[in-house]
Amino acid sequence: MYSFAPTPGQTRTELHAELVAAADALTAGEPDGVANMANVAALIWQFLSDLNWAGFYRVVGDELVLGPFIGKPACIRIPLGRGVCGTAAATAQTQRVDDVHAFAGHIACDAQSRSELVVPVLRDGVVIAVIDLDSPLPARFDGEDARGIEALGVMLARRI
Ligand code: SME
């Protein structure tokens, strides 16, 4: 049994550092990328509040394909450049969207989603996946969340 849990009362920066450390410990030495993505999706869900979806899309050819996640069933394939996820993958840039209704081309997988954070995962300079977090709260994600999930993506680059 694993018993990773956030320490109460910590800052958002500390929370993300703890999340990355937990993900590092949980994926170290495990070569199966699907298993690692599944456990990291569960960790994100456990550590971060007010999420309605957390998981991975993998780059397969010229599209993103759904990977392990927590949340409602989601769109399976997203062309690169489409939606928030496809934009993050095509530009290799984090997308932090305070109001998904204001993002042209946003793909509504869960009608509850109001804000979204999508971080590309790069291996040797190439986007191999994105980490996608959705929240039912507007403007749920700040710069600390973006930096924290980016650090998670860097740590995971050779483990997924
Ligand atoms: N909203 C995303 C699609 C994926 S779901 O949120 C899980 C987008 O616009 O790319």
Side-chain angles (χ1 to χ4, degrees):
M1 188 189 85
Y2 296 108
S3 58
F4 295 106
T7 308
Q10 54 192 352
T11 65
R12 215 174 264 215
T13 308
E14 291 165 343
L15 183 69
H16 278 288
E18 204 174 0
L19 169 58
V20 173
D24 187 14
L26 199 47
T27 59
E30 173 50 62
D32 191 288
V34 173
N36 287 338
M37 286 187 278
N39 260 340
V40 171
L43 270 185
I44 293 170
W45 189 262
Q46 194 183 358
F47 273 67
L48 303 188
S49 57
D50 299 313
L51 301 181
N52 60 316
W53 204 92
F56 293 82
Y57 279 88
R58 299 158 299 126
V59 177
V60 180
D62 58 359
E63 57 188 3
L64 289 170
V65 181
L66 183 63
F69 68 94
I70 311 283
K72 288 186 178 165
C75 330
I76 299 167
R77 292 173 186 271
I78 299 175
L80 296 181
R82 285 273 309 281
V84 186
C85 291
T87 300
T91 61
Q93 299 289 321
T94 293
Q95 303 294 308
R96 185 161 62 85
V97 180
D98 285 344
D99 176 5
V100 295
H101 301 308
F103 187 98
H106 168 254
I107 301 164
C109 289
D110 182 341
Q112 261 207 310
S113 297
R114 292 296 310 280
S115 58
E116 184 160 1
L117 175 66
V118 184
V119 169
V121 180
L122 283 77
R123 186 191 295 155
D124 300 327
V126 177
V127 179
I128 58 164
V130 300
I131 303 171
D132 181 19
L133 308 185
D134 284 34
S135 173
L137 303 182
R140 155 68 180 82
F141 306 103
D142 67 8
E144 289 302 308
D145 293 309
R147 280 187 284 279
I149 300 301
E150 284 169 352
L152 184 63
V154 169
M155 192 279 292
L156 290 174
R158 297 196 175 275
R159 299 187 186 182
I160 63 172

